Amino acid sequence: MTASSRPSTVSALLTELVATAAAAAGHDGVLDALEPASPTSNPSFGDYQSNHAFRLGKALKTNPRAVAEAVKAALPVHPAVVRADVAGPGFLNFHLDDAWLAGHVVAQVQDTRGGVEDRGQGRTVVIDYSSPNVAKRMHIGHMRSTIIGNALHRLYEAGGYRVVADNHIGDWGTQFGMLIVGWRNWLDEAAFADDAIGELERLYVKFREEAAADPTLDDLARAETAKLQAGDPDNRALWLKFIDISMVEFNGVYDRLGVRFDETLGESAYNHALPGVVDDLLDAGIAVEDAGAVVVRYPDDHDVKAVRGKLLVIRKQDGAYLYGTTDLATLEHRLSTWSPAEIVYVTDGRQQLHFQQVFAAWQAWRAHRGLPADGVALRHMWFGTLKLPEGMMSTRKGNVIRLVELLDEAVRRARAVVDEKSPDLPDALRAEIAEAVGIGAVRYSDLSQNPQSDVSFDWDRMLAMEGNTAPFLMYSLARCRSIQRKADLAPGETPLAPAANGALVHERERALLRLLARFPESVAAALETQRPNLLCDHLFEIAQAFNRFYFDVRVLDADSDDQRAARLALVELSAAVLSRGLGLLGVPALDRM
Ligand code: ARG
């Protein structure tokens, strides 16, 4: 037990037992790191397996099996462990005690963090996600950044970090000059009143078309950008209007997706700091002048392979600053404002080189100033492309898919499923369920795939009631709640203690308990690898095990009161873990579907 008396994970507990035994057997300090115990792939081998003794034997160049026997003999007695076996070339397999495990799951569920290890210990992580560009609709890449970034946001918080979620919107740059020219020449007031952001997009496209025929428009746009940057009141007012319009659009999407930011510090917030960044990098010899521009050059033997021989322009010949310059200023601001232990950037894979270059330039700058190398971990959490099938929208306007329209389509399709499955529920409730299922399905279908693969988007699959989908998980949770309603229990009202009374011995109950106990381990794994899909996989396993339990085991009409109470407790434990898990993914949890 930790100081806060959080139950340690089963893995941590067994790892600790093995370490104690290995030390008692005289093998202290042989290996640098402990091999953590992990769940066995086949339950007939036991519940958890440790490879530590095997690794010890290898390191000591003796028979690993003999080492494993010695470690096993030295294992301290612990109520969690019924039996340990040496298996194969020197693995230790552990069989857990059912009643102990049930008590352990109860303690995890009662813990405010669900038993998830406190890795952050209050340290700060800044997560830069969503970060769309103003005056355009959010495109699909921003949808992935928003959903994956928000899942990381929730996972980091669950792991004991203080999270600063910063929406680094693209609210500065040359597109504003174009929009200002477009606005003054071609604004359609009626269209603007009807669909403000749509009209801004049209003006931008219109400008591009007109400028292709008349290049003097480009000069005009540049002049308007320069006026804006010099503080011209008319241009500033227009610029602020464009940002406002965009934020209304973005916030509508964020509200529906359950996303919130602590900060929305866009590119413009760093404008004043850009000259200083360039001067500092020049002074430090990290950047050099090159034909009137200022560039950072990365040598061919640079430590970071990706940047070798590359070039990052931080000021153009005409004096304009670039995306990388802004990112360097942003990084400095974040470090001095929040002293984070980590900064995570969530964007699509095409920005990998950009971030490698920014990080490498900043590392050189850091070293130049004598700052500690381990001060902050910079992580670019990139993701693959989302492939949208042809004809996926029943209503298509233009060739850009608005995120709001995509959400509406998901909800419309979910509504059809709800109407079919639950025609008796009142209309308003069906609408509410459809909104939750539609949004949940969009989030979950993205999160349940490996972020770094190209992922597909398939309405039928993501809305299916079977399989690794949001509706299946949500339905499994609603099923727990429905059992509780039949037992006249409100959610959370079920006494949990009876789970540990020794009545949970059915194969289905034992399998379910073991999966529930692993929840904190899967949260930690998802956080550590930044792959929320690991948590999705685990919740899917839990939901499957719950349904098997429900089909094979009688809960409400169990043989004895003790058994009934224990099974009802197991239903509540399942519900608690599922709803906590769905919460970490931002998938709404419903009591009824
Ligand atoms: N606005 C950028 C885009 O739409 C993403 C910004 C990501 N964050 C950053 N600090 N560069 O591609």
PDB file of all heavy atoms in Angstrom, residues 271-300:
ATOM      1  N   ASN A 271       3.507  36.534 -31.302  1.00  0.00           N
ATOM      2  CA  ASN A 271       4.033  37.416 -32.327  1.00  0.00           C
ATOM      3  C   ASN A 271       5.123  38.338 -31.794  1.00  0.00           C
ATOM      4  O   ASN A 271       6.179  38.506 -32.411  1.00  0.00           O
ATOM      5  CB  ASN A 271       2.869  38.228 -32.892  1.00  0.00           C
ATOM      6  CG  ASN A 271       3.257  38.947 -34.133  1.00  0.00           C
ATOM      7  OD1 ASN A 271       3.979  38.399 -34.962  1.00  0.00           O
ATOM      8  ND2 ASN A 271       2.807  40.172 -34.269  1.00  0.00           N
ATOM      9  N   HIS A 272       4.865  38.893 -30.617  1.00  0.00           N
ATOM     10  CA  HIS A 272       5.820  39.874 -30.053  1.00  0.00           C
ATOM     11  C   HIS A 272       7.166  39.221 -29.726  1.00  0.00           C
ATOM     12  O   HIS A 272       8.176  39.902 -29.620  1.00  0.00           O
ATOM     13  CB  HIS A 272       5.235  40.485 -28.789  1.00  0.00           C
ATOM     14  CG  HIS A 272       5.108  39.460 -27.688  1.00  0.00           C
ATOM     15  ND1 HIS A 272       4.076  38.540 -27.641  1.00  0.00           N
ATOM     16  CD2 HIS A 272       5.914  39.179 -26.646  1.00  0.00           C
ATOM     17  CE1 HIS A 272       4.242  37.746 -26.599  1.00  0.00           C
ATOM     18  NE2 HIS A 272       5.362  38.109 -25.977  1.00  0.00           N
ATOM     19  N   ALA A 273       7.165  37.902 -29.522  1.00  0.00           N
ATOM     20  CA  ALA A 273       8.397  37.248 -29.043  1.00  0.00           C
ATOM     21  C   ALA A 273       9.285  36.757 -30.183  1.00  0.00           C
ATOM     22  O   ALA A 273      10.415  36.323 -29.948  1.00  0.00           O
ATOM     23  CB  ALA A 273       8.018  36.070 -28.145  1.00  0.00           C
ATOM     24  N   LEU A 274       8.781  36.814 -31.425  1.00  0.00           N
ATOM     25  CA  LEU A 274       9.512  36.188 -32.530  1.00  0.00           C
ATOM     26  C   LEU A 274      10.864  36.854 -32.842  1.00  0.00           C
ATOM     27  O   LEU A 274      11.869  36.145 -33.019  1.00  0.00           O
ATOM     28  CB  LEU A 274       8.627  36.103 -33.782  1.00  0.00           C
ATOM     29  CG  LEU A 274       7.291  35.365 -33.550  1.00  0.00           C
ATOM     30  CD1 LEU A 274       6.476  35.300 -34.836  1.00  0.00           C
ATOM     31  CD2 LEU A 274       7.521  33.961 -33.002  1.00  0.00           C
ATOM     32  N   PRO A 275      10.930  38.213 -32.875  1.00  0.00           N
ATOM     33  CA  PRO A 275      12.248  38.818 -33.165  1.00  0.00           C
ATOM     34  C   PRO A 275      13.301  38.388 -32.145  1.00  0.00           C
ATOM     35  O   PRO A 275      14.446  38.093 -32.510  1.00  0.00           O
ATOM     36  CB  PRO A 275      11.981  40.323 -33.074  1.00  0.00           C
ATOM     37  CG  PRO A 275      10.506  40.486 -33.281  1.00  0.00           C
ATOM     38  CD  PRO A 275       9.875  39.233 -32.738  1.00  0.00           C
ATOM     39  N   GLY A 276      12.885  38.303 -30.877  1.00  0.00           N
ATOM     40  CA  GLY A 276      13.816  37.922 -29.820  1.00  0.00           C
ATOM     41  C   GLY A 276      14.340  36.498 -30.001  1.00  0.00           C
ATOM     42  O   GLY A 276      15.519  36.221 -29.761  1.00  0.00           O
ATOM     43  N   VAL A 277      13.457  35.596 -30.432  1.00  0.00           N
ATOM     44  CA  VAL A 277      13.871  34.205 -30.654  1.00  0.00           C
ATOM     45  C   VAL A 277      14.955  34.172 -31.733  1.00  0.00           C
ATOM     46  O   VAL A 277      16.000  33.534 -31.574  1.00  0.00           O
ATOM     47  CB  VAL A 277      12.665  33.329 -31.079  1.00  0.00           C
ATOM     48  CG1 VAL A 277      13.123  31.974 -31.591  1.00  0.00           C
ATOM     49  CG2 VAL A 277      11.692  33.164 -29.916  1.00  0.00           C
ATOM     50  N   VAL A 278      14.703  34.883 -32.831  1.00  0.00           N
ATOM     51  CA  VAL A 278      15.660  34.874 -33.939  1.00  0.00           C
ATOM     52  C   VAL A 278      16.994  35.489 -33.489  1.00  0.00           C
ATOM     53  O   VAL A 278      18.068  34.927 -33.744  1.00  0.00           O
ATOM     54  CB  VAL A 278      15.077  35.610 -35.172  1.00  0.00           C
ATOM     55  CG1 VAL A 278      16.136  35.763 -36.254  1.00  0.00           C
ATOM     56  CG2 VAL A 278      13.871  34.849 -35.700  1.00  0.00           C
ATOM     57  N   ASP A 279      16.921  36.609 -32.774  1.00  0.00           N
ATOM     58  CA  ASP A 279      18.160  37.244 -32.299  1.00  0.00           C
ATOM     59  C   ASP A 279      18.942  36.304 -31.380  1.00  0.00           C
ATOM     60  O   ASP A 279      20.154  36.156 -31.504  1.00  0.00           O
ATOM     61  CB  ASP A 279      17.845  38.530 -31.526  1.00  0.00           C
ATOM     62  CG  ASP A 279      17.370  39.642 -32.470  1.00  0.00           C
ATOM     63  OD1 ASP A 279      17.542  39.478 -33.716  1.00  0.00           O
ATOM     64  OD2 ASP A 279      16.807  40.636 -31.978  1.00  0.00           O
ATOM     65  N   ASP A 280      18.222  35.662 -30.457  1.00  0.00           N
ATOM     66  CA  ASP A 280      18.897  34.757 -29.513  1.00  0.00           C
ATOM     67  C   ASP A 280      19.576  33.607 -30.245  1.00  0.00           C
ATOM     68  O   ASP A 280      20.708  33.231 -29.920  1.00  0.00           O
ATOM     69  CB  ASP A 280      17.899  34.165 -28.519  1.00  0.00           C
ATOM     70  CG  ASP A 280      17.554  35.149 -27.409  1.00  0.00           C
ATOM     71  OD1 ASP A 280      18.075  36.288 -27.462  1.00  0.00           O
ATOM     72  OD2 ASP A 280      16.769  34.780 -26.513  1.00  0.00           O
ATOM     73  N   LEU A 281      18.869  33.044 -31.219  1.00  0.00           N
ATOM     74  CA  LEU A 281      19.452  31.900 -31.929  1.00  0.00           C
ATOM     75  C   LEU A 281      20.639  32.342 -32.783  1.00  0.00           C
ATOM     76  O   LEU A 281      21.617  31.596 -32.933  1.00  0.00           O
ATOM     77  CB  LEU A 281      18.394  31.183 -32.770  1.00  0.00           C
ATOM     78  CG  LEU A 281      17.303  30.455 -31.970  1.00  0.00           C
ATOM     79  CD1 LEU A 281      16.323  29.753 -32.893  1.00  0.00           C
ATOM     80  CD2 LEU A 281      17.899  29.432 -30.998  1.00  0.00           C
ATOM     81  N   LEU A 282      20.563  33.558 -33.323  1.00  0.00           N
ATOM     82  CA  LEU A 282      21.718  34.089 -34.066  1.00  0.00           C
ATOM     83  C   LEU A 282      22.898  34.293 -33.116  1.00  0.00           C
ATOM     84  O   LEU A 282      24.026  33.869 -33.391  1.00  0.00           O
ATOM     85  CB  LEU A 282      21.357  35.413 -34.746  1.00  0.00           C
ATOM     86  CG  LEU A 282      20.604  35.322 -36.085  1.00  0.00           C
ATOM     87  CD1 LEU A 282      20.101  36.707 -36.511  1.00  0.00           C
ATOM     88  CD2 LEU A 282      21.497  34.720 -37.181  1.00  0.00           C
ATOM     89  N   ASP A 283      22.621  34.912 -31.970  1.00  0.00           N
ATOM     90  CA  ASP A 283      23.692  35.172 -30.985  1.00  0.00           C
ATOM     91  C   ASP A 283      24.342  33.872 -30.530  1.00  0.00           C
ATOM     92  O   ASP A 283      25.550  33.816 -30.299  1.00  0.00           O
ATOM     93  CB  ASP A 283      23.122  35.873 -29.735  1.00  0.00           C
ATOM     94  CG  ASP A 283      22.835  37.339 -30.021  1.00  0.00           C
ATOM     95  OD1 ASP A 283      23.275  37.822 -31.092  1.00  0.00           O
ATOM     96  OD2 ASP A 283      22.143  37.970 -29.191  1.00  0.00           O
ATOM     97  N   ALA A 284      23.516  32.850 -30.364  1.00  0.00           N
ATOM     98  CA  ALA A 284      24.037  31.574 -29.868  1.00  0.00           C
ATOM     99  C   ALA A 284      24.772  30.807 -30.964  1.00  0.00           C
ATOM    100  O   ALA A 284      25.349  29.752 -30.704  1.00  0.00           O
ATOM    101  CB  ALA A 284      22.888  30.730 -29.316  1.00  0.00           C
ATOM    102  N   GLY A 285      24.698  31.316 -32.183  1.00  0.00           N
ATOM    103  CA  GLY A 285      25.351  30.615 -33.294  1.00  0.00           C
ATOM    104  C   GLY A 285      24.569  29.392 -33.754  1.00  0.00           C
ATOM    105  O   GLY A 285      25.078  28.569 -34.514  1.00  0.00           O
ATOM    106  N   ILE A 286      23.320  29.277 -33.300  1.00  0.00           N
ATOM    107  CA  ILE A 286      22.503  28.126 -33.696  1.00  0.00           C
ATOM    108  C   ILE A 286      21.847  28.413 -35.046  1.00  0.00           C
ATOM    109  O   ILE A 286      21.654  27.522 -35.863  1.00  0.00           O
ATOM    110  CB  ILE A 286      21.463  27.825 -32.601  1.00  0.00           C
ATOM    111  CG1 ILE A 286      22.201  27.368 -31.340  1.00  0.00           C
ATOM    112  CG2 ILE A 286      20.446  26.773 -33.048  1.00  0.00           C
ATOM    113  CD1 ILE A 286      21.370  27.443 -30.087  1.00  0.00           C
ATOM    114  N   ALA A 287      21.511  29.683 -35.271  1.00  0.00           N
ATOM    115  CA  ALA A 287      20.966  30.088 -36.574  1.00  0.00           C
ATOM    116  C   ALA A 287      21.995  30.971 -37.269  1.00  0.00           C
ATOM    117  O   ALA A 287      22.843  31.579 -36.610  1.00  0.00           O
ATOM    118  CB  ALA A 287      19.669  30.857 -36.375  1.00  0.00           C
ATOM    119  N   VAL A 288      21.909  30.996 -38.593  1.00  0.00           N
ATOM    120  CA  VAL A 288      22.828  31.843 -39.368  1.00  0.00           C
ATOM    121  C   VAL A 288      22.036  32.575 -40.454  1.00  0.00           C
ATOM    122  O   VAL A 288      20.952  32.146 -40.845  1.00  0.00           O
ATOM    123  CB  VAL A 288      23.949  31.009 -40.055  1.00  0.00           C
ATOM    124  CG1 VAL A 288      24.906  30.444 -39.030  1.00  0.00           C
ATOM    125  CG2 VAL A 288      23.352  29.912 -40.923  1.00  0.00           C
ATOM    126  N   GLU A 289      22.627  33.685 -40.905  1.00  0.00           N
ATOM    127  CA  GLU A 289      22.000  34.395 -42.027  1.00  0.00           C
ATOM    128  C   GLU A 289      22.374  33.662 -43.302  1.00  0.00           C
ATOM    129  O   GLU A 289      23.486  33.163 -43.451  1.00  0.00           O
ATOM    130  CB  GLU A 289      22.504  35.832 -42.087  1.00  0.00           C
ATOM    131  CG  GLU A 289      22.290  36.553 -40.783  1.00  0.00           C
ATOM    132  CD  GLU A 289      21.704  37.945 -40.947  1.00  0.00           C
ATOM    133  OE1 GLU A 289      21.221  38.267 -42.059  1.00  0.00           O
ATOM    134  OE2 GLU A 289      21.738  38.694 -39.957  1.00  0.00           O
ATOM    135  N   ASP A 290      21.403  33.627 -44.189  1.00  0.00           N
ATOM    136  CA  ASP A 290      21.629  32.900 -45.435  1.00  0.00           C
ATOM    137  C   ASP A 290      20.829  33.621 -46.521  1.00  0.00           C
ATOM    138  O   ASP A 290      19.605  33.531 -46.539  1.00  0.00           O
ATOM    139  CB  ASP A 290      21.137  31.455 -45.264  1.00  0.00           C
ATOM    140  CG  ASP A 290      21.403  30.616 -46.502  1.00  0.00           C
ATOM    141  OD1 ASP A 290      21.561  31.188 -47.603  1.00  0.00           O
ATOM    142  OD2 ASP A 290      21.437  29.386 -46.365  1.00  0.00           O
ATOM    143  N   ALA A 291      21.552  34.355 -47.379  1.00  0.00           N
ATOM    144  CA  ALA A 291      20.928  35.120 -48.469  1.00  0.00           C
ATOM    145  C   ALA A 291      19.748  35.946 -47.959  1.00  0.00           C
ATOM    146  O   ALA A 291      18.661  35.928 -48.533  1.00  0.00           O
ATOM    147  CB  ALA A 291      20.477  34.174 -49.587  1.00  0.00           C
ATOM    148  N   GLY A 292      19.973  36.645 -46.845  1.00  0.00           N
ATOM    149  CA  GLY A 292      18.938  37.543 -46.337  1.00  0.00           C
ATOM    150  C   GLY A 292      17.927  36.876 -45.424  1.00  0.00           C
ATOM    151  O   GLY A 292      17.205  37.536 -44.695  1.00  0.00           O
ATOM    152  N   ALA A 293      17.880  35.553 -45.447  1.00  0.00           N
ATOM    153  CA  ALA A 293      16.980  34.843 -44.527  1.00  0.00           C
ATOM    154  C   ALA A 293      17.790  34.394 -43.307  1.00  0.00           C
ATOM    155  O   ALA A 293      19.014  34.490 -43.304  1.00  0.00           O
ATOM    156  CB  ALA A 293      16.371  33.637 -45.230  1.00  0.00           C
ATOM    157  N   VAL A 294      17.081  33.923 -42.278  1.00  0.00           N
ATOM    158  CA  VAL A 294      17.780  33.334 -41.131  1.00  0.00           C
ATOM    159  C   VAL A 294      17.356  31.874 -41.024  1.00  0.00           C
ATOM    160  O   VAL A 294      16.154  31.573 -41.037  1.00  0.00           O
ATOM    161  CB  VAL A 294      17.451  34.088 -39.824  1.00  0.00           C
ATOM    162  CG1 VAL A 294      18.159  33.439 -38.637  1.00  0.00           C
ATOM    163  CG2 VAL A 294      17.844  35.556 -39.940  1.00  0.00           C
ATOM    164  N   VAL A 295      18.355  31.009 -40.944  1.00  0.00           N
ATOM    165  CA  VAL A 295      18.042  29.574 -40.955  1.00  0.00           C
ATOM    166  C   VAL A 295      18.818  28.826 -39.874  1.00  0.00           C
ATOM    167  O   VAL A 295      19.886  29.262 -39.445  1.00  0.00           O
ATOM    168  CB  VAL A 295      18.400  28.917 -42.321  1.00  0.00           C
ATOM    169  CG1 VAL A 295      17.694  29.622 -43.462  1.00  0.00           C
ATOM    170  CG2 VAL A 295      19.899  28.913 -42.549  1.00  0.00           C
ATOM    171  N   VAL A 296      18.239  27.716 -39.432  1.00  0.00           N
ATOM    172  CA  VAL A 296      18.967  26.773 -38.583  1.00  0.00           C
ATOM    173  C   VAL A 296      19.364  25.628 -39.510  1.00  0.00           C
ATOM    174  O   VAL A 296      18.509  25.077 -40.205  1.00  0.00           O
ATOM    175  CB  VAL A 296      18.080  26.235 -37.440  1.00  0.00           C
ATOM    176  CG1 VAL A 296      18.827  25.187 -36.624  1.00  0.00           C
ATOM    177  CG2 VAL A 296      17.605  27.377 -36.555  1.00  0.00           C
ATOM    178  N   ARG A 297      20.655  25.326 -39.533  1.00  0.00           N
ATOM    179  CA  ARG A 297      21.114  24.218 -40.390  1.00  0.00           C
ATOM    180  C   ARG A 297      21.506  23.057 -39.506  1.00  0.00           C
ATOM    181  O   ARG A 297      22.219  23.228 -38.520  1.00  0.00           O
ATOM    182  CB  ARG A 297      22.364  24.653 -41.164  1.00  0.00           C
ATOM    183  CG  ARG A 297      22.031  25.145 -42.511  1.00  0.00           C
ATOM    184  CD  ARG A 297      23.165  24.862 -43.504  1.00  0.00           C
ATOM    185  NE  ARG A 297      23.026  25.861 -44.554  1.00  0.00           N
ATOM    186  CZ  ARG A 297      23.609  27.049 -44.499  1.00  0.00           C
ATOM    187  NH1 ARG A 297      24.446  27.346 -43.517  1.00  0.00           N
ATOM    188  NH2 ARG A 297      23.387  27.927 -45.445  1.00  0.00           N
ATOM    189  N   TYR A 298      21.054  21.887 -39.853  1.00  0.00           N
ATOM    190  CA  TYR A 298      21.381  20.709 -39.050  1.00  0.00           C
ATOM    191  C   TYR A 298      22.464  19.924 -39.777  1.00  0.00           C
ATOM    192  O   TYR A 298      22.269  19.554 -40.943  1.00  0.00           O
ATOM    193  CB  TYR A 298      20.136  19.850 -38.847  1.00  0.00           C
ATOM    194  CG  TYR A 298      18.983  20.619 -38.230  1.00  0.00           C
ATOM    195  CD1 TYR A 298      18.085  21.320 -39.029  1.00  0.00           C
ATOM    196  CD2 TYR A 298      18.831  20.694 -36.845  1.00  0.00           C
ATOM    197  CE1 TYR A 298      17.045  22.058 -38.477  1.00  0.00           C
ATOM    198  CE2 TYR A 298      17.789  21.424 -36.284  1.00  0.00           C
ATOM    199  CZ  TYR A 298      16.907  22.105 -37.107  1.00  0.00           C
ATOM    200  OH  TYR A 298      15.876  22.832 -36.560  1.00  0.00           O
ATOM    201  N   PRO A 299      23.600  19.699 -39.118  1.00  0.00           N
ATOM    202  CA  PRO A 299      24.700  19.022 -39.810  1.00  0.00           C
ATOM    203  C   PRO A 299      24.343  17.590 -40.217  1.00  0.00           C
ATOM    204  O   PRO A 299      23.407  16.992 -39.675  1.00  0.00           O
ATOM    205  CB  PRO A 299      25.828  19.018 -38.772  1.00  0.00           C
ATOM    206  CG  PRO A 299      25.176  19.284 -37.468  1.00  0.00           C
ATOM    207  CD  PRO A 299      23.928  20.048 -37.735  1.00  0.00           C
ATOM    208  N   ASP A 300      25.132  17.064 -41.139  1.00  0.00           N
ATOM    209  CA  ASP A 300      24.869  15.707 -41.653  1.00  0.00           C
ATOM    210  C   ASP A 300      25.054  14.626 -40.597  1.00  0.00           C
ATOM    211  O   ASP A 300      24.596  13.500 -40.768  1.00  0.00           O
ATOM    212  CB  ASP A 300      25.816  15.401 -42.826  1.00  0.00           C
ATOM    213  CG  ASP A 300      25.417  16.204 -44.050  1.00  0.00           C
ATOM    214  OD1 ASP A 300      24.222  16.589 -44.142  1.00  0.00           O
ATOM    215  OD2 ASP A 300      26.294  16.478 -44.895  1.00  0.00           O
TER     216      ASP A 300
END
